[in-house]
Amino acid sequence: MSKLTNEEMTALIEKAVAGDKQSLETVLCGVQDLVFNLSLRMLGTFPDAEDASQDILLKVMTHLSSFKGESAFSTWVFRIAANHLKNYKKHMFAKFPLSFEYYGNDIENADLRDVPDLTQDVEQAILAEELKLSCTNVMLQCLDAESRCIFILGTMFKIDSRIAGDILGISPEAYRQRLVRVRRKVADFLSEYCGEYGSGKCRCANRVNYAIQNHRISPEHLSFTSASISGQTALEVKEAMEEIDGLSQVFSFCKTYQPPEDLKKFIEDFLGGASCSVVTNASAAGNADRV
């Protein structure tokens, strides 16, 4: 989608709204990367991100006729996704909320002694990398949903404050101020506790078996290290990328991933099913900016 001009995207959307399934599939596949990666960072796990992404893509499909081109299509999709994810209650961390205090206490007081070898012949380095990627992603769940969304938009997607403010319904100045605060909060935590990104005592390699024992990672299901990296997520929204507070290098762990094949298959199966016409013909329930 990042290679399409505004005119080409507008033409595709018009065809999709008129009932052309191929155009609709192109539109949905064009935004699935940004939808999935925003969902993954907001919710913390691949299964929850996949479920939420399906919901969001259905919302995009249902409200497509209400897109008026007053902003970039990616901004419009981000707004739908952000509103959905900030209020999403079906994910694991909604049931088991985290805090920086809990995370810090676990690092300081976890008893790593006498934990058996649970690696199941998987290389220690691979498991340590899985734990690092999982931990830094789950750490974001220590933020409240609004702050988490601000952090992700500014740090992972590097969205300009004007666009991010539009997505979140706040002024660019308010967005920048809140982004500085939340980035500093995350940076302070990493600096104090994390030995990978800061000067803390926590090292992933030393906690692999402890993490397996506590079901934080599984040698049988390596979600992060087995996922394919995406290099094209939301490139079109990087207008006048801003250096907010000099902490960009600290947050270089925010990789983007290709959506699971199941999500791509969901789009194909849905568009090929009888229910597609019901959704594509649904009238928008009010302005899609509020969904």
Side-chain angles (χ1 to χ4, degrees):
M1 180 182 135
S2 57
K3 297 181 180 179
L4 295 177
T5 66
N6 289 335
E7 291 76 14
E8 289 171 332
M9 177 53 64
T10 299
L12 274 174
I13 292 171
E14 289 176 352
K15 291 179 181 178
V17 171
D20 184 78
K21 288 188 178 182
Q22 184 60 54
S23 296
L24 181 56
E25 182 175 358
T26 301
V27 169
L28 294 178
C29 289
V31 296
Q32 66 175 351
D33 273 29
L34 71 83
V35 168
F36 176 75
N37 279 280
L38 181 60
S39 299
L40 178 61
R41 300 305 177 181
M42 285 293 290
L43 305 181
T45 70
F46 276 77
D48 286 333
E50 187 175 344
D51 288 345
S53 295
Q54 291 182 7
D55 294 343
I56 293 165
L57 290 172
L58 285 176
K59 279 191 173 184
V60 170
M61 191 187 308
T62 303
H63 294 83
L64 196 57
S65 63
S66 68
F67 174 67
K68 304 304 181 185
E70 297 171 353
S71 63
F73 183 61
S74 58
T75 301
W76 185 81
V77 173
F78 263 123
R79 189 179 303 120
I80 292 175
N83 287 339
H84 183 82
L85 291 165
K86 285 190 295 181
N87 297 300
Y88 195 74
K89 303 301 182 185
K90 295 186 290 184
H91 62 112
M92 180 175 69
F93 292 106
K95 303 172 185 175
F96 304 101
L98 293 179
S99 67
F100 285 117
E101 291 75 18
Y102 174 87
Y103 235 47
N105 181 68
D106 183 71
I107 291 171
E108 290 289 345
N109 301 310
D111 188 357
L112 306 183
R113 301 169 299 176
D114 301 323
V115 179
D117 182 1
L118 302 171
T119 58
Q120 300 181 34
D121 296 324
V122 179
E123 289 185 26
Q124 183 87 1
I126 294 175
L127 292 170
E129 181 68 10
E130 177 75 12
L131 179 57
K132 180 175 70 173
L133 296 172
S134 174
C135 180
T136 49
N137 191 57
V138 172
M139 180 194 63
L140 300 182
Q141 307 309 308
C142 295
L143 299 167
D144 65 83
E146 180 81 6
S147 296
R148 195 183 319 140
C149 194
I150 288 172
F151 179 86
I152 295 165
L153 292 178
T155 302
M156 178 180 175
F157 291 102
K158 297 180 172 63
I159 296 178
D160 178 82
S161 60
R162 294 165 298 151
I163 299 173
D166 185 24
I167 290 169
L168 297 170
I170 59 178
S171 69
E173 293 77 14
Y175 168 79
R176 287 195 296 269
Q177 291 172 2
R178 294 178 69 175
L179 179 58
V180 167
R181 289 196 296 268
V182 70
R183 281 161 64 98
R184 176 56 60 188
K185 188 173 185 178
V186 174
D188 287 346
F189 179 83
L190 289 173
S191 178
E192 181 176 359
Y193 292 104
C194 180
E196 304 290 339
Y197 298 109
S199 56
K201 70 176 186 180
C202 185
R203 294 282 179 180
C204 295
N206 299 333
R207 293 173 66 93
V208 164
N209 286 308
Y210 176 79
I212 298 172
Q213 185 180 64
N214 288 276
H215 309 291
R216 296 177 184 177
I217 61 172
S218 169
E220 299 175 351
H221 303 286
L222 301 176
S223 298
F224 288 91
T225 51
S226 64
S228 299
I229 303 298
S230 173
Q232 298 183 346
T233 301
L235 295 179
E236 71 275 14
V237 301
K238 292 184 181 178
E239 297 181 8
M241 188 180 80
E242 298 165 289
E243 180 64 27
I244 300 293
D245 55 9
L247 294 173
S248 292
Q249 295 306 311
V250 175
F251 304 120
S252 60
F253 58 78
C254 288
K255 298 179 180 179
T256 58
Y257 297 94
Q258 293 182 14
E261 289 298 321
D262 285 350
L263 183 58
K264 299 175 184 178
K265 189 174 186 299
F266 164 79
I267 295 175
E268 295 171 357
D269 289 349
F270 189 87
L271 293 177
S275 56
C276 177
S277 60
V278 176
V279 174
T280 54
N281 291 333
S283 58
N287 193 319
D289 291 357
R290 298 196 180 104
V291 296

